[in-house]
């Protein structure tokens, strides 16, 4: 299975990549919203772990665009923990929403 990790925090993306590889995933990484869409279209991952605070294209917009074309599972992993943010993320099409500690 392939997982696409989308986060502009390079250290966190590395930790997530390492953890996902140990769990048996082939890991793809993107550090901004436009690169995430390009990787998703090109590599067709089975799962997406998506931050919201991204350069070039916001994570909510990335999620919304992917959801218009695919049912690929999307887990939002972000510092935005307000109830409004969680609701919006789920309304955009995320399958789960996890707030970073």
């Amino acid at each position: 299975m392939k997982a696409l990790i989308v986060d502009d925090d390079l250290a966190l993306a590395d930790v997530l990549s390492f953890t996902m590889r140990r769990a048996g995933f082939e890991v793809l990484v993107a550090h901004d919203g436009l690169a995430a869409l390009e990787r998703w279209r090109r590599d067709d991952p089975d799962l997406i772990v998506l931050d919201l605070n991204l350069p070039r294209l916001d994570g909510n917009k990335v999620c919304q665009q992917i959801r218009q074309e695919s049912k690929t599972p999307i887990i939002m992993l972000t510092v935005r923990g307000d109830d409004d943010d969680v609701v919006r993320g789920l309304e955009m099409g995320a399958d789960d929403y996890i707030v970073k500690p």
Side-chain angles (χ1 to χ4, degrees):
M1 288 186 71
K2 287 189 276 188
L4 173 59
I5 296 172
V6 185
D7 202 307
D8 64 333
D9 180 334
L10 303 182
L12 180 59
D14 284 345
V15 169
L16 287 172
S17 295
F18 175 78
T19 303
M20 297 294 285
R21 282 189 188 99
R22 290 199 56 174
F25 285 87
E26 176 185 341
V27 177
L28 313 165
V29 179
H31 298 294
D32 67 68
L34 292 179
L37 288 175
E38 291 170 12
R39 293 294 311 250
W40 167 72
R41 286 188 177 102
R42 183 179 66 227
D43 297 313
D44 192 31
D46 301 293
L47 171 69
I48 300 168
V49 179
L50 178 65
D51 188 14
L52 291 180
N53 299 325
L54 297 171
R56 297 178 60 197
L57 188 64
D58 179 81
N60 277 320
K61 292 177 182 168
V62 172
C63 181
Q64 187 177 29
Q65 286 187 27
I66 290 171
R67 198 46 80 224
Q68 289 174 358
E69 301 175 37
S70 172
K71 294 195 185 278
T72 303
I74 300 171
I75 299 171
M76 289 193 174
L77 178 62
T78 182
V79 296
R80 294 187 198 173
D82 293 339
D83 290 343
D84 290 341
D85 292 320
V86 174
V87 169
R88 182 168 184 215
L90 295 171
E91 287 177 346
M92 290 291 129
D95 295 285
D96 201 353
Y97 193 104
I98 300 171
V99 178
K100 293 177 185 177

